[in-house]
Amino acid sequence: MIFPILFTFFFLLSSSNAAVQDFCVADLAAPEGPAGFSCKKPASVKVNDFVFSGLGIAGNTSNIIKAAVTPAFAAQFPGVNGLGISIARLDLAVGGVVPFHTHPGASEVLFVAQGTICAGFVASDNTPYLQTLEKGDIMVFPQGLLHFQVNGGEAPALAFAGFGSASPGLQILDFALFKNDLATELIAQTTFLDAAQIKKLKGVLGGTN
Amino acid sequence: MIFPILFTFFFLLSSSNAAVQDFCVADLAAPEGPAGFSCKKPASVKVNDFVFSGLGIAGNTSNIIKAAVTPAFAAQFPGVNGLGISIARLDLAVGGVVPFHTHPGASEVLFVAQGTICAGFVASDNTPYLQTLEKGDIMVFPQGLLHFQVNGGEAPALAFAGFGSASPGLQILDFALFKNDLATELIAQTTFLDAAQIKKLKGVLGGTN
Amino acid sequence: MIFPILFTFFFLLSSSNAAVQDFCVADLAAPEGPAGFSCKKPASVKVNDFVFSGLGIAGNTSNIIKAAVTPAFAAQFPGVNGLGISIARLDLAVGGVVPFHTHPGASEVLFVAQGTICAGFVASDNTPYLQTLEKGDIMVFPQGLLHFQVNGGEAPALAFAGFGSASPGLQILDFALFKNDLATELIAQTTFLDAAQIKKLKGVLGGTN
Amino acid sequence: MIFPILFTFFFLLSSSNAAVQDFCVADLAAPEGPAGFSCKKPASVKVNDFVFSGLGIAGNTSNIIKAAVTPAFAAQFPGVNGLGISIARLDLAVGGVVPFHTHPGASEVLFVAQGTICAGFVASDNTPYLQTLEKGDIMVFPQGLLHFQVNGGEAPALAFAGFGSASPGLQILDFALFKNDLATELIAQTTFLDAAQIKKLKGVLGGTN
Amino acid sequence: MIFPILFTFFFLLSSSNAAVQDFCVADLAAPEGPAGFSCKKPASVKVNDFVFSGLGIAGNTSNIIKAAVTPAFAAQFPGVNGLGISIARLDLAVGGVVPFHTHPGASEVLFVAQGTICAGFVASDNTPYLQTLEKGDIMVFPQGLLHFQVNGGEAPALAFAGFGSASPGLQILDFALFKNDLATELIAQTTFLDAAQIKKLKGVLGGTN
Amino acid sequence: MIFPILFTFFFLLSSSNAAVQDFCVADLAAPEGPAGFSCKKPASVKVNDFVFSGLGIAGNTSNIIKAAVTPAFAAQFPGVNGLGISIARLDLAVGGVVPFHTHPGASEVLFVAQGTICAGFVASDNTPYLQTLEKGDIMVFPQGLLHFQVNGGEAPALAFAGFGSASPGLQILDFALFKNDLATELIAQTTFLDAAQIKKLKGVLGGTN
């Protein structure tokens, strides 16, 4: 059997392939919309747009919480734009902590690659779900709920978090409350915390007022 | 416990925050896409983008149907762009009517703030669902179905409608049929209405042909 | 023109109408899925399923925060199930506060019906967006971000909140942290709050450990 | 190269295949949810679930509008449940008309297989978009907007409509207004039609009141 | 009853209509995003944007597979952009074949307009679902699964395929494997095909390496 | 400041919390719908529902392709049901290969935890995107496109794949073509492969006909 002219097949279709939306690599300089960044022109897309090497480098945990988060969201890794998926690396030195935070835009699955991590989330009926995770364990944190990770062992811990969005967002509770110019009195009124406690944490985190 | 250098924490992460898509305030002058308007540059977003005062002003009901609708959709209230929510104000003078209409893009919840409103929708099996709503009552109108509101009392009525889209759309039946240049004969053929009836309403609403 | 047998038209189509999914009134006793509650059988749906009167009644603000929230989500108002919309009533006595909270599942538009409300949200880059809202003003709070409402006036305030989901959820920060059995030490580690502060609020809110 | 034991590969994975959700053939007797019907048990799915022969049969156009619509929505064709697609057949005898209607749940693409069809829709700014379609032409009707089809030729016409939902819904304007027990006075008030016109069409379509 | 000033009604609303997003006709020259192409300015939208005549023309089947596919996706038919629907024409000469392929972005419903087509798809548990379709039959192919169509009769066949996306995509298995510069050795390793077989098909389809 | 009765606050709201849909842990025995499995009753949800340890165990690569995939999709890990995220472990012995396959329901991000992996996907315009990934690298494979992974080094490789769906599906090309009873002639017709090649692979993979 021979197919001498098969490559003329689907002529009409081929002409449209240039516009098929298999992917939408983010053009960070073009207008952004509710569904994500604008797409790079297909002709300029390269394999490097789909590969990211930043997660191979340990984050710097030489800080007071002894932790670092390295994201590969659409803003850092344009290839995931529009594809509903992203990932981040989490380094926790001994005693390291990722304090309570939420991801407004996606659920998270955490995979422990090294060490022991105590993790938990709180449901909206205020029930906490806590677990000590060993290497190889995974845990899911539903979208938008407060959760945390703590190194629960005697050695550094390493984990990777997958998200069901290219831009899951991240709101860290302490930063949202104390690392800005929200008035102490207003925070006290809306959190029931004592003013002295608020001022102390504002001092630590660089907040004012 | 002291946190002297906590503010150096999450360095990598902070650099990405500028691109986190918490919201997408509409830039009405930039290209629009299927998911909504393009986003304003984060640096130019102000609190005023998230606040709208137009619904505090009563609509002008000095018209024959004695009613006014004031929308706060993405086109009027850019802060809701991409957030899947919008709202409108409805003023109904005594005898006022919002005639049969649909919202192609969202369901609606109507809240009666003042007065009495007779409201109803028709399901696609032609069953009508009618109710007289008093102050404080709410009623839901499923997406795309014909519905109406009538002031059923002896005093002005006021209501607010929430929509599950930033651009729910609004197609008013009488306007769609009679406030344009559709040929009378074609309308008769596709609605079974008498030509005289059609011409009468075209006259009222400013339609031609 | 006469239409003597028009009602035999669309015979095939009419037989399918019983199954058309115009709406999906929640059957709270049937299995629930990721998209919401199962639907009531069409034959048992009544207009009352689409109407809710609970928001006409002022919430009881005789509590320490002088505030009450009355939801009309799918669990309370089965008619909105699957329709991507819901609503809640907010009563704030003088000095009343709705403390920092999030809605994991939807954005919110707040409409001030009476009084003055100071409201605000914090973006994930920690920028606060604050505004004093007067009667008739609306403000939007993007999905999943921390926000609050405070009565900013000398009289009771009343507001209504529309949500872009039938089950937007609600996680109140203080309740998530202090109204359960999370260990004080763990909370301290993951919030940087002092143990004494945590124990004080656990005492107030009924938490243990 | 030989692969003697390849079929033991992916053992873990294969055990999960029974639950992979490639499709969700509707079980019309099980609970329905907002996303569609429950799925038949995978073991009972047959190829016939994915095939439907009803569209090969001409609809009966011996009625006053000389038209018939034959749907293959999820309720008639369970294989499309959850797949976001469905189709319908449209027969138009000479002089046949599908009167103004909407599909609340999906946009439509109409393909003319035979004859000439005058079709049109009205946008929500009341602009009509009308076209005479010949065999082979297609036209798209955006979700939720009023549209119609009329046989514009001297021979029977045949068309097929594709929808972007397994349950697009269908609300026929005249049926919604006149084929039920809505009070004539209420219809007059909410459509501006004359009572005599309403009563005439109620008589034709079998409505009361 | 007279309505002398009804056309002043809904003044506020009318001013917003220009921005109502009933549709989003693709502007193929403007930035594209994850949800589709940017929209043409409303003022330049014409009825022709919603009509496409290319499917009335038989595709050229004078090729070795004796088949042709003519798409009306967003790239060819800008009116469907953002509307979640598209369509394609399939011509199969006697002996014609559309080889195994997938649509990554949508499910497909195939309608046989003329002739006999043997069609099938394979589920992810490797079960094939095959059927011989006669004129008037439809068959659904779930999103992303391998499927094919073969002319099973003695006469040319014609079919139309509806898709639940404006850009469903099309990946033809043989083209993906053999019509590019993938190394023969790599293809052998990842398909278990013999190198000679691979080289033979590369020769036919114009691939290299 | 004292809050003696704060715990009576939000009484109405608390009563609804039991129904708040923070998550929907799969009840694998209850009806499944298009959006996923039915939810377990909230009262029976435990922290173990959100944790999965199966990925800590190396898959058995003692098979001809020297590879193993261990999924944690909703069917194996009920906690991710409805949350739009899942994960899988990939073990590749020296010389190991995951042959060409697709995920019909989600995009994938692959993270290389150990070793070297040559990975690639083919776009629908037939362009291959290939990369040699080292430990710490990630690569994204857009939804529905053919892709593969090959151990490119001299030591075992380990990787983890995140998916933007709780049930991404998996269709392995060779299994779909050769591990079932599809007739050799039909496969030849729809793939252009030689009958001898097909029969050889059917023999290896356990297919018939």
Side-chain angles (χ1 to χ4, degrees):
Chain A
M1 202 179 351
I2 307 173
F3 308 79
I5 58 168
L6 185 61
F7 48 86
T8 67
F9 164 58
F10 281 121
F11 180 79
L12 255 173
L13 202 56
S14 296
S15 66
S16 76
N17 274 346
V20 163
Q21 204 176 31
D22 288 335
F23 40 73
C24 176
V25 175
D27 176 353
L28 300 178
E32 193 176 356
F37 295 96
S38 291
C39 316
K40 280 181 65 170
K41 296 284 177 195
S44 67
V45 171
K46 305 285 183 230
V47 66
N48 285 341
D49 289 314
F50 302 108
V51 179
F52 183 75
S53 294
L55 301 194
I57 303 157
N60 183 354
T61 59
S62 297
N63 53 49
I64 195 66
I65 62 158
K66 303 173 179 169
V69 173
T70 310
F73 299 167
Q76 295 84 32
F77 181 20
V80 295
N81 185 50
L83 295 183
I85 183 86
S86 63
I87 193 169
R89 174 190 176 117
L90 170 58
D91 290 278
L92 288 168
V94 176
V97 175
V98 183
F100 264 113
H101 62 284
T102 60
H103 304 288
S107 293
E108 170 185 350
V109 172
L110 186 82
F111 168 76
V112 178
Q114 199 178 297
T116 299
I117 292 178
C118 300
F121 72 86
V122 183
S124 59
D125 67 353
N126 307 316
T127 303
Y129 292 90
L130 309 181
Q131 187 84 345
T132 298
L133 306 169
E134 304 294 342
K135 180 178 174 177
D137 289 348
I138 58 176
M139 184 168 181
V140 63
F141 306 101
Q143 181 171 349
L145 296 183
L146 282 164
H147 61 288
F148 65 85
Q149 290 100 12
V150 174
N151 187 336
E154 301 298 313
L158 173 64
F160 293 90
F163 299 92
S165 164
S167 293
L170 166 61
Q171 182 164 55
I172 301 166
L173 175 55
D174 270 59
F175 286 25
L177 295 180
F178 307 122
K179 198 182 174 180
N180 51 36
D181 62 359
L182 275 173
T184 294
E185 189 178 355
L186 182 60
I187 301 175
Q189 198 174 14
T190 54
T191 62
F192 311 149
L193 296 173
D194 294 338
Q197 174 74 87
I198 294 165
K199 287 184 179 298
K200 179 177 171 184
L201 287 170
K202 276 183 173 281
V204 170
L205 291 162
T208 56
N209 288 337
Chain B
M1 206 178 356
I2 308 175
F3 307 80
I5 58 168
L6 185 62
F7 47 86
T8 68
F9 164 59
F10 281 120
F11 180 77
L12 257 174
L13 201 59
S14 296
S15 67
S16 77
N17 275 346
V20 164
Q21 204 175 32
D22 287 335
F23 41 71
C24 176
V25 175
D27 176 352
L28 300 178
E32 192 175 356
F37 294 97
S38 291
C39 317
K40 281 181 64 170
K41 297 285 178 195
S44 67
V45 171
K46 305 286 183 230
V47 65
N48 285 341
D49 289 313
F50 302 107
V51 178
F52 183 74
S53 294
L55 301 194
I57 303 159
N60 182 354
T61 58
S62 297
N63 52 50
I64 195 66
I65 62 157
K66 302 173 178 165
V69 174
T70 310
F73 299 169
Q76 295 84 31
F77 180 21
V80 295
N81 185 51
L83 296 183
I85 183 87
S86 63
I87 194 169
R89 174 189 177 119
L90 170 57
D91 289 278
L92 288 167
V94 176
V97 175
V98 183
F100 265 112
H101 62 284
T102 60
H103 305 287
S107 294
E108 169 185 351
V109 172
L110 186 81
F111 168 76
V112 178
Q114 198 178 298
T116 299
I117 292 178
C118 300
F121 71 87
V122 183
S124 59
D125 68 353
N126 308 315
T127 304
Y129 293 90
L130 310 181
Q131 187 83 347
T132 298
L133 306 169
E134 304 295 341
K135 180 178 174 176
D137 289 349
I138 59 177
M139 184 170 182
V140 62
F141 306 101
Q143 182 171 349
L145 297 183
L146 282 163
H147 61 288
F148 65 85
Q149 289 100 11
V150 174
N151 186 338
E154 302 297 315
L158 173 64
F160 293 89
F163 299 92
S165 164
S167 294
L170 167 61
Q171 182 163 56
I172 302 165
L173 175 55
D174 270 58
F175 286 24
L177 294 180
F178 307 122
K179 196 181 174 181
N180 51 37
D181 63 0
L182 276 173
T184 294
E185 189 178 354
L186 181 61
I187 301 174
Q189 200 174 11
T190 54
T191 62
F192 311 149
L193 296 174
D194 295 338
Q197 174 75 87
I198 295 166
K199 286 183 179 298
K200 178 176 172 185
L201 286 170
K202 276 182 174 280
V204 170
L205 290 162
T208 57
N209 288 336
Chain C
M1 206 179 348
I2 307 175
F3 308 79
I5 57 169
L6 186 61
F7 48 86
T8 68
F9 164 59
F10 281 119
F11 179 78
L12 257 174
L13 202 58
S14 297
S15 67
S16 78
N17 276 345
V20 163
Q21 204 177 31
D22 287 335
F23 41 72
C24 176
V25 176
D27 176 352
L28 300 178
E32 193 177 354
F37 294 96
S38 291
C39 317
K40 281 181 66 170
K41 296 284 178 195
S44 67
V45 171
K46 305 286 183 229
V47 66
N48 285 341
D49 290 313
F50 302 108
V51 178
F52 184 73
S53 295
L55 300 194
I57 303 160
N60 183 353
T61 58
S62 299
N63 52 49
I64 195 67
I65 61 159
K66 302 174 178 166
V69 174
T70 310
F73 299 169
Q76 295 84 32
F77 181 20
V80 293
N81 186 51
L83 295 183
I85 184 87
S86 62
I87 194 170
R89 174 191 177 117
L90 170 57
D91 290 278
L92 288 168
V94 175
V97 175
V98 184
F100 265 112
H101 62 283
T102 61
H103 304 287
S107 294
E108 169 185 350
V109 172
L110 186 81
F111 168 77
V112 178
Q114 199 180 297
T116 298
I117 292 179
C118 300
F121 71 87
V122 183
S124 59
D125 68 353
N126 307 315
T127 304
Y129 293 89
L130 309 181
Q131 186 83 347
T132 297
L133 306 169
E134 304 294 340
K135 180 178 174 178
D137 289 349
I138 60 176
M139 183 170 183
V140 63
F141 306 101
Q143 182 171 349
L145 297 182
L146 282 164
H147 61 289
F148 66 85
Q149 290 100 14
V150 173
N151 187 337
E154 302 297 315
L158 172 65
F160 293 89
F163 299 92
S165 164
S167 294
L170 167 61
Q171 182 164 56
I172 302 165
L173 175 56
D174 270 59
F175 286 26
L177 295 180
F178 306 121
K179 197 182 174 181
N180 51 37
D181 61 0
L182 275 173
T184 293
E185 189 178 353
L186 182 61
I187 301 173
Q189 199 174 13
T190 53
T191 61
F192 311 149
L193 296 174
D194 296 336
Q197 174 75 87
I198 294 166
K199 285 184 182 296
K200 179 176 172 185
L201 286 171
K202 275 183 174 282
V204 170
L205 290 162
T208 57
N209 289 335
Chain D
M1 206 178 349
I2 308 175
F3 308 79
I5 57 168
L6 186 62
F7 47 86
T8 67
F9 165 59
F10 282 120
F11 180 77
L12 257 173
L13 201 58
S14 297
S15 67
S16 77
N17 275 345
V20 164
Q21 203 175 31
D22 287 336
F23 41 71
C24 175
V25 175
D27 176 352
L28 301 178
E32 194 176 356
F37 294 97
S38 291
C39 317
K40 281 182 66 170
K41 296 285 178 195
S44 67
V45 171
K46 306 284 182 229
V47 65
N48 285 340
D49 289 314
F50 302 107
V51 179
F52 183 74
S53 294
L55 301 194
I57 304 158
N60 182 354
T61 58
S62 297
N63 51 51
I64 196 66
I65 62 159
K66 302 174 178 167
V69 174
T70 310
F73 299 168
Q76 295 84 32
F77 181 20
V80 294
N81 185 50
L83 296 182
I85 183 86
S86 63
I87 194 169
R89 173 189 179 119
L90 170 57
D91 290 279
L92 289 168
V94 175
V97 175
V98 183
F100 265 111
H101 63 283
T102 61
H103 304 287
S107 293
E108 170 185 350
V109 172
L110 187 81
F111 168 76
V112 178
Q114 198 179 298
T116 298
I117 292 178
C118 300
F121 71 87
V122 183
S124 58
D125 68 351
N126 307 316
T127 304
Y129 293 89
L130 309 182
Q131 186 83 348
T132 298
L133 306 169
E134 302 296 340
K135 181 179 174 175
D137 289 349
I138 59 176
M139 183 169 182
V140 63
F141 307 101
Q143 182 171 348
L145 296 183
L146 282 164
H147 61 288
F148 65 85
Q149 290 100 14
V150 174
N151 187 336
E154 301 298 314
L158 173 64
F160 293 90
F163 300 92
S165 164
S167 293
L170 167 60
Q171 181 163 57
I172 302 165
L173 174 56
D174 270 59
F175 286 25
L177 295 180
F178 307 123
K179 198 183 173 180
N180 51 36
D181 62 359
L182 275 173
T184 294
E185 188 179 354
L186 181 61
I187 301 174
Q189 198 174 12
T190 54
T191 62
F192 311 150
L193 296 173
D194 295 338
Q197 175 74 88
I198 295 165
K199 286 183 180 296
K200 179 176 172 185
L201 286 170
K202 276 182 173 280
V204 170
L205 290 162
T208 56
N209 287 338
Chain E
M1 207 178 348
I2 308 174
F3 307 78
I5 58 169
L6 186 59
F7 48 86
T8 69
F9 165 58
F10 283 120
F11 180 78
L12 256 174
L13 203 57
S14 296
S15 65
S16 79
N17 274 346
V20 163
Q21 204 176 32
D22 286 336
F23 41 71
C24 175
V25 175
D27 176 352
L28 300 179
E32 194 177 355
F37 295 97
S38 292
C39 317
K40 282 181 64 170
K41 297 284 177 196
S44 67
V45 171
K46 305 286 183 227
V47 65
N48 285 342
D49 290 312
F50 302 107
V51 178
F52 184 74
S53 294
L55 300 194
I57 304 158
N60 183 354
T61 60
S62 298
N63 52 50
I64 195 64
I65 61 159
K66 302 173 179 164
V69 174
T70 310
F73 299 168
Q76 294 85 31
F77 181 20
V80 294
N81 185 50
L83 296 183
I85 184 86
S86 63
I87 194 169
R89 173 189 177 117
L90 170 58
D91 289 277
L92 289 167
V94 176
V97 175
V98 183
F100 265 112
H101 63 283
T102 60
H103 304 288
S107 293
E108 169 185 350
V109 171
L110 187 81
F111 168 76
V112 179
Q114 199 177 296
T116 298
I117 292 178
C118 300
F121 72 88
V122 184
S124 59
D125 68 353
N126 307 316
T127 304
Y129 293 90
L130 310 180
Q131 187 83 347
T132 299
L133 305 169
E134 304 295 340
K135 180 179 173 175
D137 290 347
I138 59 176
M139 184 169 182
V140 63
F141 306 102
Q143 182 171 350
L145 296 183
L146 282 164
H147 61 288
F148 65 85
Q149 290 100 13
V150 174
N151 187 337
E154 302 298 315
L158 173 64
F160 294 90
F163 299 92
S165 164
S167 293
L170 167 60
Q171 182 164 55
I172 301 165
L173 175 56
D174 270 60
F175 286 25
L177 294 180
F178 308 122
K179 198 182 173 180
N180 52 37
D181 63 0
L182 275 173
T184 295
E185 190 179 353
L186 181 61
I187 301 174
Q189 199 175 12
T190 53
T191 62
F192 312 149
L193 296 173
D194 295 337
Q197 174 75 87
I198 294 166
K199 285 184 180 298
K200 179 176 171 184
L201 287 170
K202 275 183 173 283
V204 171
L205 291 162
T208 57
N209 287 338
Chain F
M1 200 174 354
I2 306 175
F3 307 79
I5 57 169
L6 186 61
F7 47 87
T8 67
F9 165 57
F10 281 122
F11 180 79
L12 254 174
L13 203 57
S14 296
S15 67
S16 77
N17 274 346
V20 163
Q21 204 176 31
D22 286 335
F23 41 72
C24 175
V25 176
D27 176 352
L28 301 178
E32 194 176 355
F37 295 97
S38 291
C39 316
K40 281 181 65 170
K41 295 285 178 193
S44 67
V45 171
K46 305 287 182 226
V47 66
N48 286 341
D49 289 313
F50 302 108
V51 178
F52 183 74
S53 294
L55 300 194
I57 304 159
N60 183 354
T61 59
S62 298
N63 52 49
I64 197 65
I65 61 158
K66 302 173 178 165
V69 174
T70 309
F73 299 168
Q76 294 84 30
F77 181 19
V80 294
N81 185 52
L83 295 184
I85 184 87
S86 62
I87 193 168
R89 174 190 177 116
L90 170 57
D91 290 278
L92 289 168
V94 175
V97 175
V98 183
F100 265 113
H101 62 283
T102 60
H103 305 286
S107 293
E108 169 185 350
V109 172
L110 187 81
F111 168 77
V112 179
Q114 199 178 296
T116 298
I117 292 177
C118 300
F121 72 87
V122 184
S124 58
D125 67 353
N126 307 315
T127 304
Y129 293 89
L130 310 180
Q131 187 84 345
T132 298
L133 306 169
E134 304 294 341
K135 180 177 173 177
D137 289 350
I138 58 176
M139 183 169 182
V140 63
F141 307 102
Q143 182 171 348
L145 296 183
L146 281 164
H147 61 289
F148 65 85
Q149 290 100 14
V150 174
N151 187 336
E154 301 298 315
L158 172 64
F160 293 89
F163 299 93
S165 162
S167 293
L170 167 60
Q171 181 163 57
I172 301 165
L173 174 56
D174 270 59
F175 286 24
L177 294 180
F178 307 122
K179 197 182 174 179
N180 51 37
D181 63 358
L182 276 174
T184 294
E185 190 179 353
L186 181 61
I187 301 174
Q189 198 174 14
T190 53
T191 62
F192 311 149
L193 296 173
D194 294 337
Q197 175 73 87
I198 294 165
K199 285 183 181 297
K200 179 176 170 185
L201 286 170
K202 276 183 173 281
V204 170
L205 291 163
T208 58
N209 287 334

